[in-house]
Amino acid sequence: MSKEEILKSIENKYEELGVPVEAMLEGLLWSKPITYWDYIQTDALLGLQIPRTTQPDEMVFIMYHQVNELLFKMILWEIDQVAKSNDISAEKFTKHLMRISRYFDVLSSSFSVMGEGMDVEQYLKFRNTLTPASGFQSAQYRKIEFASTELINLIDARFRDTIDRDSSFKNAYDHLYWQAAGKNYSTGQKTTLLKLFEKKYMGEFIDFMEDYNDCNLSKKFKQLPDEVQKNKELIEAMRHYDYTVNVKWVMAHYNAAGKYLGGDDTALEATGGSNWRKYLHPKYQRRIFFPYLWSEEEVKNWGTF
Ligand code: HEM
């Protein structure tokens, strides 16, 4: 566009907004030049790391969790490019899925920052100040699950065959697989970890479940024309995403937890209080976003290949 055309377009835009273009142009005269730190908000971002103990490695723990949360936000952003699109091609679907998978690849391969990056003695000191908090309480992680698949795939495997698929969102919520990490099954009591999490997020989660009920990634895939659903690249992208989130990341996390909390016989109780060795392993959890894209054998051996 020429300078004249640009000025004309700006004039039209402000006319439509009912704002005098002269006032806007004069404003430009006095505005400050943009800087990196204002735009990226570095001061705010770098002011968010507040350790609770004297142990230097607690900083690694806090910051790596924050890095995860930022990437979770990038993932939710990309999911919405698919979920909220009315007319989506196989290419666009694949492009966004691959972006999401790459973010989860980063999260999985960087987990050594946690696994190798803290002294066990320091971790065992500062972890006591964090009880009963846990990464389990990451709301974005739960939203990624709700936005990726149908609720039935997030229901505790023990109830999946018997739960009424048309029951309320609240009933589905009460039977989500992750409730198992927050319930004492001998007393039926919910742990503090789960009670606090629900107090803050349950309402928001139920709204979110409803919002994504018809536009989660799995539903969007099934709404594509038959021939698009057979697109090889798209299927490969869906499988890659499912495997990266539900096996690769889960195993990277599980192995890091094992390093700090110990082996089978000596395992320490998790800060969140779950029977974590059993709860966190994908072969027990059986969380699969797109089960229809895996063979019977692959589903049966989930978490072991
Ligand atoms: C030394 C590092 C870590 C250890 C020892 C650890 C340990 C655990 C344990 C034991 C649980 C089971 C719930 C409970 O607390 O009772 C859990 C859940 C979880 N943690 Fe971590 N974690 C670590 C790092 C991280 C990091 C960096 C993240 C990133 C946000 C994270 C995210 C999660 C999530 C999302 C869950 C729930 C998983 C699910 O429900 O399947 N954790 N963690």
Side-chain angles (χ1 to χ4, degrees):
M1 270 204 270
S2 69
K3 198 158 103 187
E4 287 69 31
E5 283 168 334
I6 294 174
L7 285 173
K8 188 78 212 140
S9 307
I10 291 177
E11 213 174 317
N12 292 344
K13 172 179 168 179
Y14 280 85
E15 207 165 277
E16 261 174 49
L17 290 172
V19 177
V21 74
E22 295 75 13
M24 188 282 293
L25 286 172
E26 193 173 341
L28 277 181
L29 254 187
W30 311 117
S31 69
K32 288 190 208 159
I34 186 79
T35 57
Y36 174 80
W37 55 91
D38 279 342
Y39 183 61
I40 301 297
Q41 296 274 323
T42 43
D43 287 350
L45 190 63
L46 302 180
L48 297 171
Q49 294 73 38
I50 321 281
R52 291 163 61 93
T53 70
T54 54
Q55 304 300 301
D57 288 357
E58 190 191 349
M59 199 50 133
V60 180
F61 189 76
I62 294 174
M63 289 183 76
Y64 187 62
H65 277 83
Q66 292 184 341
V67 167
N68 273 251
E69 289 293 342
L70 282 176
L71 275 144
F72 288 164
K73 187 165 180 179
M74 291 174 82
I75 288 160
L76 283 165
W77 187 261
E78 291 302 322
I79 291 181
D80 266 6
Q81 308 299 307
V82 176
K84 304 289 159 71
S85 163
N86 288 329
D87 181 22
I88 192 156
S89 62
E91 290 69 35
K92 187 171 157 65
F93 210 128
T94 309
K95 179 178 80 180
H96 292 291
L97 275 178
M98 288 317 293
R99 287 187 189 175
I100 299 167
S101 294
R102 272 193 296 275
Y103 300 153
F104 258 108
D105 281 334
V106 169
L107 289 176
S108 309
S109 58
S110 68
F111 226 91
S112 53
V113 169
M114 264 298 81
E116 308 299 325
M118 300 183 295
D119 290 353
V120 176
E121 308 81 69
Q122 289 195 35
Y123 173 77
L124 293 179
K125 286 182 185 135
F126 72 74
R127 78 186 281 271
N128 292 322
T129 68
L130 308 178
T131 310
S134 164
F136 172 91
Q137 293 169 319
S138 164
Q140 290 203 105
Y141 188 81
R142 302 298 168 209
K143 287 183 175 175
I144 289 171
E145 297 177 326
F146 293 138
S148 293
T149 191
E150 286 99 339
L151 285 172
I152 193 70
N153 297 323
L154 300 175
I155 300 293
D156 191 321
R158 289 167 295 180
F159 311 123
R160 242 174 248 175
D161 292 337
T162 48
I163 195 165
D164 172 4
R165 286 177 181 236
D166 295 322
S167 63
S168 65
F169 289 106
K170 173 69 171 63
N171 189 44
Y173 175 90
D174 287 335
H175 290 87
L176 289 168
Y177 80 90
W178 47 261
Q179 292 276 335
K183 266 189 202 145
N184 178 332
Y185 277 93
S186 45
T187 61
Q189 289 285 305
K190 289 188 179 182
T191 58
T192 308
L193 165 93
L194 186 58
K195 279 195 214 152
L196 292 173
F197 190 43
E198 292 192 332
K199 186 157 182 267
K200 175 141 176 74
Y201 291 115
M202 188 168 73
E204 193 177 323
F205 283 161
I206 289 178
D207 285 349
F208 196 89
M209 287 158 79
E210 204 168 350
D211 277 354
Y212 285 82
N213 198 41
D214 288 322
C215 67
N216 59 69
L217 294 179
S218 179
K219 268 279 174 72
K220 282 299 248 200
F221 177 76
K222 290 177 181 168
Q223 288 160 10
L224 292 169
D226 282 353
E227 70 281 4
V228 181
Q229 285 187 40
K230 291 195 189 105
N231 181 292
K232 277 212 175 70
E233 279 87 40
L234 177 55
I235 292 177
E236 217 19 72
M238 301 271 287
R239 283 167 54 100
H240 183 84
Y241 174 50
D242 211 353
Y243 185 78
T244 318
V245 182
N246 291 321
V247 179
K248 237 173 105 184
W249 185 87
V250 174
M251 285 311 294
H253 174 256
Y254 179 82
N255 290 332
K259 162 151 180 198
Y260 295 99
L261 302 178
D264 271 337
D265 302 333
T266 53
L268 292 171
E269 191 178 294
T271 48
S274 69
N275 175 1
W276 67 272
R277 281 231 158 241
K278 197 149 189 196
Y279 170 70
L280 285 182
H281 202 292
K283 77 178 175 210
Y284 299 115
Q285 221 168 41
R286 312 202 60 71
R287 189 182 57 216
I288 311 178
F289 290 162
F290 317 121
Y292 45 86
L293 296 181
W294 300 94
S295 69
E296 229 174 86
E297 198 60 18
E298 285 169 328
V299 169
K300 203 170 96 206
N301 297 322
W302 192 252
T304 57
F305 66 91

